[in-house]
Amino acid sequence: MITLRSSDGETFDLDEVVAYCKKHVKSTAKAGEDALSDADLKAWDSDFIRLDHATLFDLIMAASYLDFKSLLDLLCQTVADMIKGKSPEEIRKIFNIKNDFTPEEEKEIRRENEWAFQ
């Protein structure tokens, strides 16, 4: 197990990051050298991103900390796909986010940002 500790003391388990790297290195291998096709890599990525929310967000933090663009893009796209077309209430439920707005505050926000709720 490889663990990374940030300057603020947060730790990240890098096993999934290493697995991602190993698989993506195979996609750049020359033909005949255990190369992986684009279709196989996309299938592997689809399986890879099937994570519980805690692991998904830990990996996003690790990819961001490591400035690992391709992994960060994949993981952030996964989150974007999870919330696409969802109402704020549905998003709160998916990510267990407490609504701390009063009904009056929420009404005002909806009025000011009507375009976002159409």
Side-chain angles (χ1 to χ4, degrees):
M1 177 185 290
I2 300 172
T3 303
L4 178 69
R5 183 178 306 277
S6 67
S7 59
D8 65 358
E10 191 167 356
T11 60
F12 303 101
D13 177 14
L14 297 181
D15 291 343
E16 289 92 355
V17 175
V18 171
Y20 176 88
C21 290
K22 285 180 178 179
K23 194 56 76 167
H24 280 254
V25 163
K26 286 184 177 182
S27 74
T28 61
K30 295 178 184 171
E33 293 181 3
D34 201 22
L36 200 60
S37 72
D38 286 343
D40 289 341
L41 187 61
K42 283 184 181 189
W44 187 87
D45 281 351
S46 292
D47 288 338
F48 177 77
I49 60 174
R50 291 186 186 145
L51 304 163
D52 61 86
H53 292 160
T55 303
L56 178 63
F57 287 106
D58 283 348
L59 280 174
I60 289 172
M61 294 296 293
S64 177
Y65 182 79
L66 294 169
D67 196 25
F68 195 159
K69 184 174 175 9
S70 64
L71 179 57
L72 186 59
D73 288 349
L74 174 67
L75 297 169
C76 288
Q77 185 62 55
T78 300
V79 173
D81 291 343
M82 292 169 71
I83 65 175
K84 185 177 182 180
K86 303 281 193 292
S87 69
E89 292 78 18
E90 291 171 315
I91 295 169
R92 285 188 196 109
K93 185 176 180 179
I94 290 169
F95 297 112
N96 198 26
I97 299 170
K98 180 182 176 237
N99 183 3
D100 56 356
F101 291 114
T102 65
E104 294 79 22
E105 290 172 326
E106 190 163 349
K107 184 177 180 181
E108 180 66 19
I109 290 169
R110 286 180 183 273
R111 188 189 61 73
E112 290 174 356
N113 301 286
E114 190 175 323
W115 60 269
F117 296 96
Q118 297 175 354

